[in-house]
Amino acid sequence: SQKIEQNSEALNIQEGKTATLTCNYTNYSPAYLQWYRQDPGRGPVFLLLIRENEKEKRKERLKVTFDTTLKQSLFHITASQPADSATYLCALEGSGYSTLTFGKGTMLLVSP
Amino acid sequence: AAGVIQSPRHLIKEKRETATLKCYPIPRHDTVYWYQQGPGQDPQFLISFYEKMQSDKGSIPDRFSAQQFSDYHSELNMSSLELGDSALYFCASSNRDGTRGRAGEQYFGPGTRLTVT
């Protein structure tokens, strides 16, 4: 069955460093992958979408890579700030053609 | 910019009661999704509507039903509530990728926190 894996352990980094989060998937051939940010008790917020024919996508301090051979996406936040502390979810097409399945997310903690 | 609106924000019900959650999508978005998120869990897809017609069905219990109305707002109806239904319920809206109909980026509402006692 389709499976999305994100590191369940929180990632602790210092302010100013680059945070790198990993999303691995199996039994999928997704046309694209999405990354969301979620703060406690709030709805996920869309960050980036990368298509299967794109190797890399950037938006301000965010960068996403998508390796369909390795079945992996990396999500980078450069010059991280305490305000970046949140849970980051990756999402792929679900079993429905027009649905998303989310990974369990990785919590990022950026300390001053 | 207008966002997804959900009401109520908090709801407390007893076991076996019913609950109705409402969602008002972003104007001109053609698809509405409902998700359930338990504590420490990822959002689980329940059901979606495209242009007011049911589109996809996920892990929605038979006790739950949903519909989308002519004004595009959607309601999730939950009956015979169980303790395990306590969760955050999110509504999201999007415009599908017009060329392929796939789910595009989704915009989530603030959620309804349902507590069943």
Side-chain angles (χ1 to χ4, degrees):
Chain A
S1 62
Q2 298 168 330
K3 196 172 178 182
I4 302 172
E5 290 183 348
Q6 293 187 257
N7 195 337
S8 58
E9 290 184 13
L11 177 63
N12 286 276
I13 64 168
Q14 269 201 311
E15 184 175 8
K17 302 291 187 183
T18 295
T20 298
L21 307 176
T22 305
C23 175
N24 295 299
Y25 59 93
T26 55
N27 299 324
Y28 266 106
S29 293
Y32 54 73
L33 183 148
Q34 302 185 30
W35 283 89
Y36 288 78
R37 168 188 173 139
Q38 186 171 28
D39 293 283
R42 307 185 78 135
V45 174
F46 171 78
L47 296 175
L48 282 167
L49 180 154
I50 185 166
R51 300 183 188 278
E52 59 183 337
N53 60 351
E54 297 174 314
K55 294 294 185 190
E56 181 181 298
K57 203 154 191 183
R58 294 174 184 261
K59 179 183 175 183
E60 297 172 352
R61 295 185 295 112
L62 309 180
K63 184 178 87 171
V64 171
T65 63
F66 193 13
D67 189 325
T68 55
T69 301
L70 290 178
K71 294 187 182 293
Q72 181 182 78
S73 175
L74 298 179
F75 177 80
H76 307 271
I77 305 176
T78 58
S80 58
Q81 305 166 0
D84 295 326
S85 298
T87 295
Y88 291 86
L89 304 161
C90 77
L92 299 169
E93 292 172 307
S95 55
Y97 190 69
S98 299
T99 66
L100 288 179
T101 296
F102 286 85
K104 295 200 181 302
T106 298
M107 183 182 295
L108 172 67
L109 298 169
V110 182
S111 53
Chain B
V4 175
I5 298 171
Q6 288 187 249
S7 67
R9 295 294 308 279
H10 301 272
L11 193 57
I12 300 174
K13 291 286 186 178
E14 295 188 354
K15 282 195 306 184
R16 292 180 288 277
E17 285 193 317
T18 61
T20 297
L21 310 185
K22 295 186 178 182
C23 168
Y24 297 84
I26 292 173
R28 292 179 293 283
H29 275 190
D30 56 27
T31 308
V32 167
Y33 308 83
W34 285 97
Y35 291 88
Q36 177 192 60
Q37 187 172 29
Q41 301 298 311
D42 52 291
Q44 292 289 314
F45 170 71
L46 295 178
I47 194 167
S48 64
F49 293 86
Y50 173 69
E51 287 292 344
K52 295 169 282 185
M53 299 289 290
Q54 184 180 307
S55 176
D56 294 281
K57 221 170 179 181
S59 52
I60 184 169
D62 292 340
R63 300 177 287 109
F64 294 7
S65 65
Q67 56 183 321
Q68 188 175 26
F69 295 85
S70 57
D71 64 352
Y72 285 86
H73 94 273
S74 178
E75 294 184 2
L76 178 66
N77 299 292
M78 311 159 72
S79 62
S80 303
L81 287 169
E82 302 173 357
L83 295 178
D85 296 328
S86 296
L88 267 170
Y89 290 83
F90 292 107
C91 170
S93 71
S94 76
N95 274 324
R96 291 195 179 178
D97 182 338
T99 59
R100 300 171 75 180
R102 295 180 186 272
E105 56 202 68
Q106 296 186 12
Y107 294 86
F108 283 74
T112 294
R113 183 175 294 280
L114 173 66
T115 303
V116 182
T117 62

